[in-house]
């Protein structure tokens, strides 16, 4: 607790002896939070059903008093990861309406009401996993893990004797399942990251996120070169552009190791919080896959729930096509993006950095999805197909070299964003060095607008 909470701020709300569940209130940078922690070295055994009742009391208290929930998940000392207990002694926790099912429901019903941040320190399984996955931010140490089945049940029921790290390890959840939002080196590092993440959230849905002192961008983060920004087909790390326009050291990446063709994360500009959604062409060309579509929808939904304005940085050739993409639901997950964006209530600023082709324009909050402001960099391209794709189509159609050249020139001319400013389809052209000022103006207007939300907006748990 000493790493997580401000000194001497913890106030236990349930029995304070050395039991399996530790819970109460504390402060993080002066803000009150509710902490629910499983104690793996408890010396006082409790009936598992009574532990659940204490946990429900804490969740009720957090909702009543508008407190963020910090869920520190671990495995009780009486529970082994090597073998599964025959469940005769815990049947009440299974069937009683106030048992495990109630815990699952209670965590879920806090969705969009107060922020929920979970940390997993060691491997956990079965009923301990779902409350973690229901939280808004999930951090795992490298020694942690989560699985529905312990290794013996994995072998008996699925016929698999896979290494635990392969099917339940923290790295797998950070890179493949997307359940882990941040992988940390140590327990202390995880708790420090909780403190940082909390800065991006209000205490509940009825408030804006806190505003901090303004900080200049990192002076060692140079603007991307004009050559990189003018060539839509070169590889370009969008983190480089992000660093030039946000407060130094304010970026907290969300699912940074998962679906890396899309960047999602929290940052501040002049002390004001925003969520960033950006394509990253150095991974899979920045194309949207089913995984990155889920990542986008989940993050946008989270920001919408807690009044966090969104910045979209588009450098997107569109959605992935082909047999694998279609069979894994690229249409379904693309529709999830559109359903999410169409129902957002938070302000959105959309900037076309280098390109927005086909439905990628819409997936990044563009035309038709009513962004509060839609801008483009001077050399950006807005078109159905890029020049490379058009050239291939022209050759397939049997056009001559001269005819193909003419088509390419026409496409380049119609892709120029300046003409869409004149037509009123987009709001303006912004130079890279002006982007921070645009974001600052956008956030300043947002923060000065009274918040009128009176009901919560649920977070998509995906």
């Amino acid at each position: 607790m000493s790493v997580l909470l401000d000194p001497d701020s913890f106030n236990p709300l349930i029995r304070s002896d050395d039991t399996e569940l530790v819970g109460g209130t504390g402060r993080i940078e002066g803000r009150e939070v509710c902490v629910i922690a499983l104690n793996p070295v408890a010396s006082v055994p409790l009936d598992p059903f009574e532990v659940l009742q204490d946990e429900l009391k804490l969740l009720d208290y957090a909702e009543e008093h508008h407190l963020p929930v910090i869920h520190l998940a671990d495995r009780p000392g009486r529970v082994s990861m090597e073998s599964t207990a025959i469940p005769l002694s815990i049947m009440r926790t299974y069937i009683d309406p106030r048992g495990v099912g109630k815990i699952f429901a209670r965590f879920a019903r806090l969705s969009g009401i107060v922020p929920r941040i979970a940390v997993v320190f060691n491997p956990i399984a079965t009923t301990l996993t779902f409350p973690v996955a229901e939280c808004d931010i999930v951090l795992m140490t490298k020694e942690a893990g989560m699985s529905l089945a312990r290794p013996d049940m994995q072998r008996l029921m699925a016929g698999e004797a896979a290494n635990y790290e392969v099917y339940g390890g923290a790295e797998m959840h950070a890179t493949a399942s997307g359940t882990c939002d941040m992988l940390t080196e140590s327990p202390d590092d995880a708790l420090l990251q909780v403190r940082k993440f909390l800065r991006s959230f209000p205490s509940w849905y009825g408030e804006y996120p806190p505003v901090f002192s303004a900080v200049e961008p990192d002076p060692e983060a140079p603007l991307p070169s004009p050559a990189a920004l003018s060539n839509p087909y070169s590889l370009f790390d969008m983190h480089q552009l992000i660093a030039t326009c946000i407060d130094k050291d304010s970026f907290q990446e969300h699912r940074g190791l998962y679906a890396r063709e899309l960047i999602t994360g929290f940052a501040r500009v002049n002390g004001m919080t925003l969520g960033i959604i950006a394509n990253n062409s150095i991974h899979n060309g920045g194309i949207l896959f089913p995984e990155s579509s889920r990542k986008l929808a989940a993050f946008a939904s989270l920001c919408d729930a807690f009044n966090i304005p969104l910045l979209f940085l588009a450098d997107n050739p569109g959605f992935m096509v082909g047999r694998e993409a279609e069979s894994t639901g690229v249409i379904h997950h693309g529709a999830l993006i559109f359903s999410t964006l169409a129902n957002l209530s938070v302000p959105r600023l959309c900037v076309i950095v280098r390109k927005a082709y086909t439905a990628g324009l819409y997936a990044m909050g563009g035309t038709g999805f009513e962004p509060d402001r839609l801008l483009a960099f001077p050399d950006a391209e807005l078109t159905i197909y890029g020049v490379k794709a058009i050239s291939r189509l022209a050759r397939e159609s049997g056009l001559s070299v001269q005819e193909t050249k003419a088509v390419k020139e026409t496409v380049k001319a119609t892709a120029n964003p300046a003409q869409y400013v004149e037509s009123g389809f987009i709001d303006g052209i912004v130079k890279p060095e002006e982007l921070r000022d645009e974001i600052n103006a956008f956030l300043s207007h947002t923060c000065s607008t009274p918040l009128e939300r009176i009901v919560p907006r649920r977070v998509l748990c995906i």
Side-chain angles (χ1 to χ4, degrees):
M1 292 292 187
S2 61
V3 177
L4 174 68
L5 300 176
D6 297 348
D8 302 319
S9 68
F10 182 65
N11 175 38
L13 294 179
I14 55 176
R15 53 178 69 84
S16 58
D17 49 8
D18 188 16
T19 57
E20 286 182 1
L21 190 72
V22 177
T25 62
R27 294 190 176 276
I28 294 178
E29 297 185 339
R31 293 170 61 192
E32 192 172 14
V33 299
C34 180
V35 180
I36 300 172
L38 287 169
N39 179 10
V41 295
S43 60
V44 180
L46 281 179
D47 177 84
F49 186 79
E50 293 305 314
V51 174
L52 298 180
Q53 303 319 295
D54 284 344
E55 192 167 358
L56 289 171
K57 291 175 187 176
L58 292 167
L59 294 170
D60 288 344
Y61 189 91
E63 180 173 6
E64 181 182 353
H65 293 86
H66 304 156
L67 303 182
V69 171
I70 312 299
H71 177 36
L72 306 181
D74 213 325
R75 190 175 71 255
R78 59 182 169 79
V79 176
S80 169
M81 278 297 291
E82 302 304 318
S83 61
T84 303
I86 297 175
L88 299 180
S89 63
I90 56 171
M91 277 301 292
R92 186 183 181 190
T93 69
Y94 169 69
I95 199 64
D96 193 299
R98 297 170 296 162
V100 169
K102 187 68 171 180
I103 294 291
F104 290 1
R106 199 68 191 86
F107 264 94
R109 287 172 185 158
L110 286 177
S111 172
I113 294 178
V114 296
R116 303 156 299 169
I117 303 177
V119 181
V120 185
F121 298 103
N122 288 294
I124 60 175
T126 63
T127 57
L128 297 176
T129 60
F130 285 112
V132 169
E134 288 177 307
C135 287
D136 302 308
I137 300 292
V138 177
L139 301 100
M140 298 177 73
T141 69
K142 288 188 174 181
E143 293 74 30
M146 288 196 294
S147 61
L148 289 183
R150 296 186 180 95
D152 63 328
M153 293 304 292
Q154 178 83 0
R155 185 186 72 256
L156 292 171
M157 299 185 73
E160 297 175 353
N163 180 284
Y164 180 78
E165 291 297 318
V166 173
Y167 80 87
E171 185 173 352
M172 183 282 292
H173 282 301
T175 60
S177 79
T179 306
C180 172
D181 298 317
M182 178 177 281
L183 190 63
T184 66
E185 292 290 335
S186 67
D188 283 0
D189 181 33
L191 296 174
L192 290 173
Q193 293 297 335
V194 169
R195 293 177 65 93
K196 291 181 180 180
F197 269 116
L198 190 64
R199 294 175 182 174
S200 298
F201 289 96
S203 292
W204 69 302
Y205 73 86
E207 300 173 348
Y208 281 123
V211 176
F212 293 83
S213 299
V215 177
E216 290 298 313
D218 185 349
E220 297 184 4
L223 281 170
S225 70
L229 293 176
S230 63
N231 180 1
Y233 300 108
S234 65
L235 298 181
F236 167 62
D237 188 351
M238 190 67 80
H239 290 96
Q240 184 181 350
L241 178 63
I242 291 172
T244 67
C245 58
I246 65 171
D247 294 2
K248 183 180 178 182
D249 297 329
S250 71
F251 191 56
Q252 286 285 104
E253 191 155 4
H254 167 269
R255 299 188 190 175
L257 299 177
Y258 175 74
R260 299 178 72 184
E261 62 273 8
L262 186 81
I263 298 168
T264 55
F266 305 99
R268 291 187 294 278
V269 172
N270 280 336
M272 298 172 286
T273 296
L274 77 162
I276 297 175
I277 297 174
N279 308 116
N280 198 10
S281 66
I282 65 169
H283 297 287
N284 296 320
I287 299 171
L288 288 169
F289 289 76
E291 295 83 359
S292 40
S293 297
R294 293 197 300 271
K295 178 178 175 178
L296 191 161
F299 185 75
S301 171
L302 175 58
C303 290
D304 190 52
F306 293 108
N307 312 309
I308 301 170
L310 282 165
L311 168 66
F312 291 85
L313 296 173
D315 183 21
N316 184 3
F319 287 90
M320 188 61 186
V321 298
R323 182 166 63 93
E324 183 177 354
E326 300 288 3
S327 64
T328 53
V330 68
I331 295 173
H332 173 78
H333 293 100
L336 176 64
I337 290 180
F338 300 141
S339 297
T340 303
L341 298 187
N343 288 285
L344 293 179
S345 64
V346 291
R348 283 101 64 204
L349 169 62
C350 176
V351 180
I352 313 300
V353 175
R354 297 199 305 177
K355 60 184 178 292
Y357 299 157
T358 65
L361 171 64
Y362 314 141
M364 294 302 290
T367 306
F369 285 85
E370 301 178 352
D372 292 74
R373 196 150 169 78
L374 176 57
L375 306 172
F377 278 11
D379 294 321
E381 293 184 355
L382 286 84
T383 180
I384 297 175
Y385 299 117
V387 172
K388 279 189 176 181
I390 287 293
S391 298
R392 291 172 184 165
L393 287 171
R395 287 196 298 271
E396 287 285 330
S397 302
L399 297 184
S400 67
V401 173
Q402 195 62 34
E403 290 170 327
T404 299
K405 182 180 179 181
V407 170
K408 288 166 62 176
E409 290 174 352
T410 300
V411 168
K412 285 189 69 68
T414 58
N416 188 331
Q419 64 180 317
Y420 299 119
V421 175
E422 294 177 5
S423 65
F425 295 158
I426 66 175
D427 296 308
I429 304 296
V430 58
K431 297 177 181 178
E433 60 270 24
E434 299 169 342
L435 181 57
R436 179 177 167 89
D437 290 339
E438 286 284 353
I439 299 170
N440 179 54
F442 164 71
L443 292 176
S444 296
H445 175 74
T446 297
C447 291
S448 64
T449 303
L451 183 62
E452 298 180 351
R453 177 166 294 173
I454 57 174
V455 294
R457 296 177 68 87
R458 303 299 182 183
V459 181
L460 291 175
C461 185
I462 51 175

